[in-house]
Each structure stands twice: as structure tokens, then as C-alpha cells.
Amino acid sequence: MTIFKGKGACRGIAFAPLRRYERADLAAAPRAAADVRAEHARFEQARAAAAAELDELALQGRDKLGEENAFLFEVHRMMLEDEDYLEAIRAMILEQNTGAEYAVSEAGRRFSRLFAEMDDEYMQARSADVEDVSRRVLRCLVGRERQERLAGPAILFSDDFSPSETARFDPALVRGIVTEKGSLNSHTAIFARTMGIPAVVGVGETPAAEQFGLPAIVDGQEGALVVDPSPEINERYLRCKQRLEEEAARLEEYRGRPTRTADGRPVRLYANISGVADAQAALENDAEGIGLFRSEGLFLGRSTLPDEEEQYQAYAGVVRRMAGRPVIIRTLDVGADKKADCLALAPEENPALGLRAVRVCLRQPELLDTQLRAILRASALGPVSVMVPMIASLWEVRAVRERLDAARSQLEARGAAFDPKLPLGIMVETPAAALISDRLAPLVDFFSIGTNDLTQYVLAADRMNSQLADYYDPRHPAVLELIGRTAHNAHRHGIWVGVCGELAAEPDMTRTLLELGVDELSVPPASVLGLRRAIAACRVDRGNGEEQTC
Ligand code: PEP
Ligand code: MG
């Protein structure tokens, strides 16, 4: 038995074999094939394996992602039958004598470029699909294991996971994740919490090769990975898991209850999500709405942008699933640790202080316009609001409002339906926004405080740097002061204010946040019922609190 200690990033205990997460290198080098017929047979075998995977994904995807999104796998399946694409690969292998990997990666690149250069937005979006399909065939060719090909449940280990990798994990297979590096405040950790996957980050070393494949336990509370546990330890963790399940069962009494403090103050209790599948978790955990839909989940891990239709389908999927509960969609927040290949942003010296979020969107207005149109269209299906991240100045809000008005006019011209009163809110996550919240409030319909970024910017402590864990303190008086100031200014102008950073999910902070005047808390789905209990146990000191306006 070996115990690796790290930091618990998502509570919960998982039992499964330990597996190393492998990334296929998709840039295949040219090489001559020794036997062109055998090489071609290898390609056909890989194509059949990829087709079988896609059939299975289309089947499973209907439950996990909904009918419309699962259809994508069927489209990919059809691409595997496309004669032009197949002919290009065959010609390279049979006539030019190249290896199958190179032929697939070259054909993938060529066809993806071809689609990207087309005028039609829908066809442009297919460019990413061709790449995805080619990657899948390549993976089958090189025989590497990926999480979606896991034969059964696993605890995945990697030096670190990118946010886009984490966002794609299937919690039914990926029972736990462990990283050698990584910080608690990274988006990888946040996505794991959103999906409820027990996680440990920063164990500082990689298990020995022979430890992969052995039974293992992830303890996401204490921050431990136990490989090949002794019978006593195994027993102890089984009891722990049972206690957690009993605790979860006790929380059931809070399901369906209105969220109120002990002295009767109503609080909005919403969930943070990154995609359509998380909306299901939000509902299962009885969230009253979605307080933060991190839309960048749609943009990560791909090389072309999602078009308006694809975005609309994703937003509409969440709105339909939430069936009348409010959904707040955040506009694209890329940059810093969220690298979006599809935007090809130039590397920066200080990415957290660089071109991220609304700054990228205002530089590339077509990006923002497309997203706003998709969000507006989804607002015809239920109560939707839009929220803009990383605001620091008044002019940014005015500029976004102008784009929103323009998007409305474009949709009107098309005769498309939308909510003409779609509320516009901003995230307060820069010290500047908190300090000028009295002037920002009249321009918007609500504030949502992003304590994850606010903390890093107020305390000059990089949220990604695990060595700064003692400095990165969301409970620091300077952060709390800015939360109180923002809430005060919101209420003076008659708008509501929420917190959607990770601090919102800390039950020991509930009373403080409510006393500072916060009206809404938006948290990972698995934290909803526990937080409703914490709120119900709170008696809020009205002497320090703010007048409730909503
Ligand atoms: C935040 O900064 O608190 C927040 C909710 O946004 P993100 O964590 O996605 O940066
Ligand atoms: Mg943020």
C-alpha cells in the first residue's frame, strides 16, 4: 500500500483501479510504409474501431447530452464514410506509400482547412468535426487509451489536466482524478467540483509504473490517493463513504424546500455549470436555477469556433432542461488558464492580467455578437440572463450593451424570437469593478461576485500557483470589504447581488455573506442541499445587513 498526499479539490471517496491518462500525439510524422496493403488494412481496422466508438457514444450520449447534441456523434460517424475523405487517405497510403498515421493526420488537416475556408457558417463549423474524427481514427491507430475508451471505472492520474480535458470527463467512468501538480483554484479543480468527481491535486510525484492498474482510493476530503490499500484501510474508507452517503441522505429533507434563513430571509440558491450535462446535476440537486453557466466549456478543446446554431442548441438544451428555472449564461471567459485553441490567442507574459474574457470579446466583436444572438434566441424558451466576466470599466459595459442592442436588431430583422427584456448582469471580479460598483450598478440588472478572481487580483496571488495557497485567501478582510461595498451599491440602485465564486459554497461563510447583503449564492450542484441547510441554520444580523430590495 502507498499513500500519496495532496490537496482535496472535490469531496467524496472513490474506489477504482488507478489509470494513467494518456494523450495521443496527433502530429504524426511522415514515414514510408513497408507493406502498403498491410498499412491500408491497419487504417481500415482503425476506422472500424472509431466507427464502433461513435455508435456507442451516440447511444450513451442521448442520456448524457440530449438528443440534439448526441446527434453530433452520428454526424462524425457519417464523416467516416465520406468518399472524398477516404479516397484522400487511401491515395496517400496506396499510391504515395505513406504510413497510415500520417495519411490520416494530413487528410484531417486538409479537409478541416477546406471547411474552415467556406463562406457558410455551418460548413465552417464542420472543420472541427473533421479534426475530431481524424483524431479518433489516429488514437485507434496508435492504440492509446483515452478516458472515453476506458473499459470500466477508473481513477485517472495525470501531471495535470487541462480544463477542456476535465470538462469532457464522464463521471460514470472517471470515478476520481488525481494530479501531480495543480492548484485548488484552477478551473480543472472547479470543473471537477461542478461534476462532483472526487479529486486530489498536487500530490507532487507520479506513482511507479507497476502501481497503475492496481486498486486505488481517492479521498477528496483529506487529499489522499491510496494505491493498493490494505484490507484495514479499505474497510475504513468504506465506512467513510457510507458516512458521506448517510449525510447526503439526511440532506434529502431540504429538497423541495424554499431557501430561507432561520429568521425568514429568502435567498436564491443556484448552481454553477459548464455544459448541458451539468444542468441535469443541478436539477437532481434541486438548484433553483443556474447562477453561472460557464459557456467557455463549448469553446475549449477544439480548433474551430462553435457557430451560432451550435451555441444556441447548447443554451436551449440547458434552458429546456431547467424547465422555467432562471438560467444565467456567462459570455465567453477564455484566456489565463483557459486556453482556447479555436481562438489562437497569442502567448502572454502575464495571461491572468492579459487579454481574457470580455477583453477578447470586445476585440473580436463577431465572437460576442454570435454568442449574444445565440443567448437571445435561447431566451425565447425560458428565463435567461446574460452575464459578462472581467469587467473593470464603465465603457466595457456600455460597449457590451451596444453589441446586445445590435444583436437584438439582427434577430428582429430575421424574425427570430427572443426576450426583449433579457437582463444583463456583470461579474464583479476585479477590484476596480467593486470599487466603482456605485457607477456600474445603474448600467446593469444584477451583479455576481466572482470571488475566485477577485481574491487573486485583490491579494496579488495567482490562483493557479499552488505555492501561494497561504496568500490566496478569499476570507481576507480586503476581499470581504469589497463584497460588502458591492452589495451596498447594488441595493442602493435596486439591483440584486450574488456570489458565484467558490467561497459561496463554504457553509462557514454563509452567515458572513448574507450579512454583507448577498441575495444569491451560486455553487457546484453537489453543494446545493448542504448550503440550503446552512442557510436555514443562519440567523442574519439585520443590524449589519442591507435593506432587501428583491
Ligand atoms: C470567479 O472568478 O469567481 C468565477 C466564478 O469565475 P471563474 O472561476 O470561472 O474565473
Ligand atoms: Mg472569474
Side-chain angles (χ1 to χ4, degrees), residues 69-333:
N69 296 309
F71 178 64
L72 187 69
F73 298 122
E74 289 175 33
V75 173
H76 285 197
R77 177 77 172 77
M78 286 186 263
M79 283 179 175
L80 276 182
E81 308 291 335
D82 183 88
E83 263 315 310
D84 292 336
Y85 174 71
L86 294 181
E87 194 40 50
I89 295 171
R90 281 183 195 132
M92 268 187 277
I93 299 176
L94 296 174
E95 290 159 26
Q96 295 163 28
N97 189 21
T98 61
E101 287 86 349
Y102 184 70
V104 172
S105 78
E106 259 311 287
R109 256 200 293 268
R110 206 185 295 160
F111 278 77
S112 142
R113 230 186 356 255
L114 213 82
F115 278 112
E117 283 163 5
M118 290 184 183
D119 287 337
D120 184 281
E121 249 186 76
Y122 177 83
M123 295 312 273
Q124 283 171 5
R126 303 289 69 81
S127 160
D129 294 325
V130 181
E131 272 184 25
D132 250 27
V133 169
S134 307
R135 271 205 201 96
R136 188 176 297 282
V137 179
L138 265 175
R139 268 185 230 112
C140 294
L141 267 171
V142 294
R144 300 246 179 102
E145 183 173 49
R146 283 193 78 228
Q147 76 92 16
E148 63 194 47
R149 298 181 67 208
L150 290 173
I155 289 167
L156 285 186
F157 186 96
S158 179
D159 54 343
D160 203 355
F161 295 104
S162 73
S164 66
E165 285 167 341
T166 314
R168 279 158 194 260
F169 287 159
D170 174 357
L173 279 180
V174 180
R175 294 288 168 85
I177 57 178
V178 183
T179 65
E180 188 190 326
K181 305 181 206 132
S183 103
L184 285 178
N185 309 298
S186 68
H187 283 92
T188 298
I190 289 173
F191 286 0
R193 284 195 281 278
T194 304
M195 293 188 284
I197 301 178
V200 175
V201 298
V203 296
E205 58 183 317
T206 299
E210 61 274 16
Q211 291 179 309
F212 288 98
L214 293 177
I217 300 172
V218 167
D219 174 354
Q221 170 86 1
E222 296 299 323
L225 164 69
V226 186
V227 183
D228 195 17
S230 65
E232 298 75 42
I233 290 287
N234 206 55
E235 188 53 37
R236 194 193 306 163
Y237 273 112
L238 279 172
R239 282 198 302 272
C240 264
K241 192 170 163 67
Q242 195 180 344
R243 273 200 300 279
L244 287 180
E245 282 163 6
E246 285 163 4
E247 193 190 317
R250 278 196 294 279
L251 288 178
E252 282 301 308
E253 75 172 277
Y254 291 90
R255 184 180 294 282
R257 279 207 200 171
T259 308
R260 286 183 191 286
T261 60
D263 46 351
R265 179 169 145 190
V267 178
R268 300 172 194 207
L269 180 51
Y270 291 175
N272 296 344
I273 63 164
S274 315
V276 187
D278 301 336
Q280 189 56 32
L283 274 182
E284 279 164 13
N285 286 283
D286 201 26
E288 292 156 19
I290 302 299
L292 167 62
F293 179 175
R294 289 184 163 98
S295 65
E296 50 277 8
L298 291 171
F299 291 73
L300 300 176
R302 53 189 293 166
S303 56
T304 54
L305 292 167
D307 63 6
E308 182 186 318
E309 188 55 29
E310 184 182 339
Q311 290 190 54
Y312 166 71
Q313 291 298 345
Y315 306 146
V318 170
V319 175
R320 284 200 196 98
R321 222 168 254 214
M322 294 308 290
R325 301 180 194 210
V327 176
I328 301 176
I329 303 173
R330 178 170 79 180
T331 55
L332 183 60
D333 183 3

Side-chain angles (χ1 to χ4, degrees), residues 330 333 356 429 453 463:
R330 178 170 79 180
D333 183 3
R356 59 171 290 204
E429 52 183 350
D453 277 314
R463 64 193 269 190

